[in-house]
Amino acid sequence: MRRVLVVTAVAAERDAVCAVAGSCAAVTLPGGQELRRAAGLPVALDALAAGVGPAAAAAGTATALTAAALAGQPYDLVVSAGIGGGFPPGAPLGSVVVAEAIVAADLGAETPDGFLPVTELGFGTVVHRPDPVLVRTVAAAAGAVAGTVVTVSTVTGSAARAAELAERHPGVLAEAMEGFGVAEAAAAHGVPVLEIRAVSNAVGPRDRAAWRIGDALAALTGAFRTLPGALTAPTGPAPEPPPRSTSLTRGTPTSLRRTP
């Protein structure tokens, strides 16, 4: 049976994932974090609320991957999941986005000529690209759109910042705070990665009254109801997800882009 680790930021997102199962038993990881193990699914699915931000996400993911490997039960896939902001019009409230590219939006340096990602400084990486066939299969099953999801350490709160991100990452569909950290840990362990985001708010001026967190959590549960079937479906040409804008990340040399 395929083993899948799902990493969220907070317990509400983890519980939305666990809602697809008949029950979720608690398992304590080294260091005290609690992982929830789903039962009754065609894949073995574990969900972990690792904390907010890329550092917490990377640390929690690495702990879970290491514990599983030492127990002789390594994971076959890691999924960064949760709610996030959507860039209109491509990702409206309540929609689901599957990442074709998981991008560290603010990992780099400010210069007189603008922002430079670490790749242009000569080291590191800012992009992880999940397997495109898997992305298309999962997106089609969930009725999701596929495109770039940026990881930020500070949630966007202004129209100017939203416009800057959209300009630097043409076709970007969503922003969140954990995907790149999860992808870094998965890559270090040689495990494939996905990122799935349900849109709770529009990226731009911060307006909590307009957020639809409950709807986004329900959409996240709906997406994960389709995931086991997508992962266990017979292999073959994957169906195309709904159309989207071309997603490219400017300033990242192709030779430095890494696929976990």
Side-chain angles (χ1 to χ4, degrees):
M1 180 180 288
R2 195 167 191 180
R3 288 178 48 77
V4 180
L5 172 66
V6 181
V7 182
T8 71
V10 299
E13 295 166 321
R14 178 203 63 201
D15 293 345
V17 172
C18 283
V20 306
S23 62
C24 282
V27 177
T28 302
L29 293 174
Q33 285 186 310
E34 188 177 272
L35 179 148
R36 298 292 175 87
R37 182 153 291 159
L41 299 176
V43 299
L45 189 150
D46 293 346
L48 172 68
V52 175
T61 303
T63 297
L65 289 173
T66 300
L70 290 176
Q73 296 180 318
Y75 290 104
D76 302 297
L77 177 69
V78 180
V79 184
S80 175
I83 63 176
F87 286 83
L93 299 187
S95 64
V96 176
V97 177
V98 180
E100 286 183 331
I102 302 170
V103 180
D106 48 17
L107 183 59
E110 291 291 345
T111 77
D113 298 319
F115 177 81
L116 287 180
V118 293
T119 48
E120 292 197 10
L121 299 174
F123 54 90
T125 186
V126 293
V127 182
H128 290 277
R129 296 189 180 277
D131 174 60
V133 173
L134 183 59
V135 168
R136 291 196 299 270
T137 300
V138 170
V145 289
T148 295
V149 178
V150 293
T151 299
V152 296
S153 294
T154 302
V155 173
T156 297
S158 69
R161 174 61 172 164
E164 178 191 349
L165 287 173
E167 182 181 2
R168 282 203 278 119
H169 307 287
V172 63
L173 291 180
E175 78 165 20
M177 301 181 74
E178 293 79 33
F180 188 78
V182 172
E184 284 281 273
H189 283 258
V191 181
V193 70
L194 283 176
E195 183 170 9
I196 301 174
R197 292 287 164 184
V199 176
S200 59
N201 58 280
V203 177
R206 190 172 174 82
D207 180 9
R208 288 295 300 268
W211 291 12
R212 297 293 180 264
I213 293 177
D215 292 343
L217 290 173
L220 187 66
T221 299
F224 271 86
R225 289 193 195 283
T226 70
L227 183 66
L231 296 180
T232 56
T235 58
E240 292 292 336
R244 60 166 185 84
S245 300
T246 301
S247 174
L248 299 173
T249 302
R250 191 176 66 185
T252 306
T254 302
S255 61
L256 293 176
R257 293 175 184 166
R258 210 166 52 183
T259 300

